[in-house]
């Protein structure tokens, strides 16, 4: 099964071609990622309007490059998958509408993929990890522990009560003048810093739930930095190391608890899996390895290039859904918000009664509107194409 994947939810314009073999193994034939870092750097973060315009300018070339690298033409595809959310809505619209056009012109199924589901299933692309597994998903907008029980079957066991871990890395970088993107730069500085110099709080440690909280840590870091300003290079490195050390202790404690909750509710997971941009952090990966060996559970962490945003994971999630007979209609809406535990097996046409899948033209429907009685699966079946563009 050959699927083209398109990713445009944030600041990477990406296209990939992935083959899912009948035995469930995967071959990535092409995986092209164009980062917009240069466009956003001057602003210290992603500017949604600039991101959307940059996707428009680059996406067709990136798709052409991926198809050329894969050595296949559109006719050979079994499906076209695009991230339909969650993310910056301008970019999501660009990717989804492009996928719809390709699907329509070439008569191929469309798969509207949840970006978080794509992160969640990456371990199956890289390692063929069997269900069920315990997922630690840590990106710029999300920090969750999730029981991944099957395609479209996700139960959230823990989440952040305020900031996401990636967001906290980005804000730390900004506070310390390290610029954007923050995660890698904080990690780089932390490598030459002293993690014991500043005593920072370890929020949530020891609690019965499996939730996270980052805002207290962030404030404590700011206060420490203000106390000793102006900062030397060594101060910055020590602050980064102390921050990263506190994050790691919290992550390990929360995951230990998350694994207990998983076992209580669902039995033994096949593995602990990490996904999302934060999982590219080498110190976090090392801590996860320690945790997994103490817990005697297999650890699966995809290579950094497949942890940060990419289109191979979108193509793969599309292929997994397609293999289950799940596909989406051409009037599927892009979604800025789309929680992972609202992605259902019934998200595509397969689960939507025909009358709802093809609403009468001109029917009212906002981006998040649902037809009465339609499944609350996060994919709106009732938005007319004109409302999407
Ligand atoms: O998954 P991702 O590429 O995009 C989202 O879906 O958000 O994650 C991006 C986030 C950013 O907040 C970035 O700072 C963080 O992942 N990140 C890192 C590292 N590389 C990326 N955080 C810590 N250490 C890293 N090496
Ligand atoms: Zn992501």
């Amino acid at each position: 099964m050959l699927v083209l994947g398109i990713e445009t939810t944030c600041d990477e314009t990406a296209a990939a071609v992935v083959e899912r073999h009948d035995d469930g193994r995967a071959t990535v034939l092409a995986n092209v990622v164009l980062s917009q870092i240069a466009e956003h750097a001057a602003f210290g973060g992603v500017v949604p309007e600039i991101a959307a315009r940059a996707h428009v300018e680059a996406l067709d070339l990136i798709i052409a490059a991926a198809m050329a690298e894969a050595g296949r033409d559109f006719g050979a595809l079994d499906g076209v998958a695009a991230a339909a959310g969650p993310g910056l809505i301008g970019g999501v619209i660009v990717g989804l509408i492009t996928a719809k056009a390709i699907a329509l012109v070439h008569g191929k199924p469309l798969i509207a993929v949840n970006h978080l589901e794509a992160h969640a299933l990456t371990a199956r692309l890289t390692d063929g990890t069997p269900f069920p597994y315990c997922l630690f998903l840590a990106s710029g907008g999300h920090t969750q522990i999730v029981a991944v029980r099957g395609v479209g079957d996700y139960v959230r066991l823990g989440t952040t009560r305020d900031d996401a871990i990636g967001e906290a890395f980005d804000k730390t970088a900004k506070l310390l003048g390290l610029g954007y993107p923050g995660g890698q730069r904080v990690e780089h500085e932390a490598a030459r810093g002293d993690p014991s110099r500043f005593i920072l709080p370890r929020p949530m440690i020891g609690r019965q739930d499996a939730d996270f909280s980052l805002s207290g840590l962030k404030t404590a870091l700011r206060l420490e930095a203000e106390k000793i300003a102006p900062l030397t290079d060594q101060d910055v490195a020590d602050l980064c190391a102390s921050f990263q050390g506190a994050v790691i202790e919290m992550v390990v404690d929360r995951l230990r608890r998350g694994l207990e909750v998983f076992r209580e509710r669902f039995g033994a997971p096949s593995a602990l899996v990490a996904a999302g941009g934060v999982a590219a952090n080498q110190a976090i990966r090392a801590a996860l390895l320690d945790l997994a060996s103490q817990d005697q559970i297999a650890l699966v962490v995809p290579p950094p290039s497949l942890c940060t945003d990419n289109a191979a994971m979108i193509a793969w999630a599309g292929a997994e859904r397609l293999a289950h007979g799940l596909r989406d209609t051409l009037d599927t809406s892009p979604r800025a918000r789309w929680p992972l535990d609202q992605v259902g097996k019934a998200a595509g046409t397969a689960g939507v009664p025909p009358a709802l899948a093809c609403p009468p033209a001109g029917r009212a429907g906002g981006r998040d509107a649902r037809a009465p009685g339609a499944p609350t699966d996060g994919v709106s079946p009732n938005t007319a194409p004109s409302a999407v563009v």
Side-chain angles (χ1 to χ4, degrees), residues 115 119 139-141 166-167 169-170 183-184 187 276-278 281 307-309:
H115 177 93
H119 277 305
S139 66
E167 190 182 353
F169 267 91
D170 292 334
Q184 271 174 307
E187 179 181 7
V278 176
N281 183 298
C307 284
T308 50
D309 287 349

Side-chain angles (χ1 to χ4, degrees), residues 218-269:
K218 188 186 64 188
T219 306
L221 182 90
R222 182 171 52 75
L223 294 176
E224 292 292 343
E226 283 171 2
K227 261 193 245 166
I228 57 165
L231 303 177
T232 65
D233 283 357
Q234 193 57 48
D235 293 335
V236 169
D238 292 345
L239 283 163
C240 286
S242 301
F243 166 80
Q244 188 172 276
V247 169
I248 287 174
E249 265 190 47
M250 176 177 53
V251 164
V252 168
D253 179 81
R254 304 293 62 211
L255 281 176
R256 207 170 261 136
R257 181 67 196 128
L259 283 164
E260 281 169 12
V261 175
F262 189 112
R263 291 188 177 106
E264 282 157 22
R265 292 183 61 182
F266 306 113

Side-chain angles (χ1 to χ4, degrees), residues 9 11 20 39 123 153 168 175 198 218 235 311 319 329:
T9 61
D11 60 345
R20 184 185 186 279
E39 274 101 321
D153 189 355
L175 173 80
F198 298 97
K218 188 186 64 188
D235 293 335
T329 52

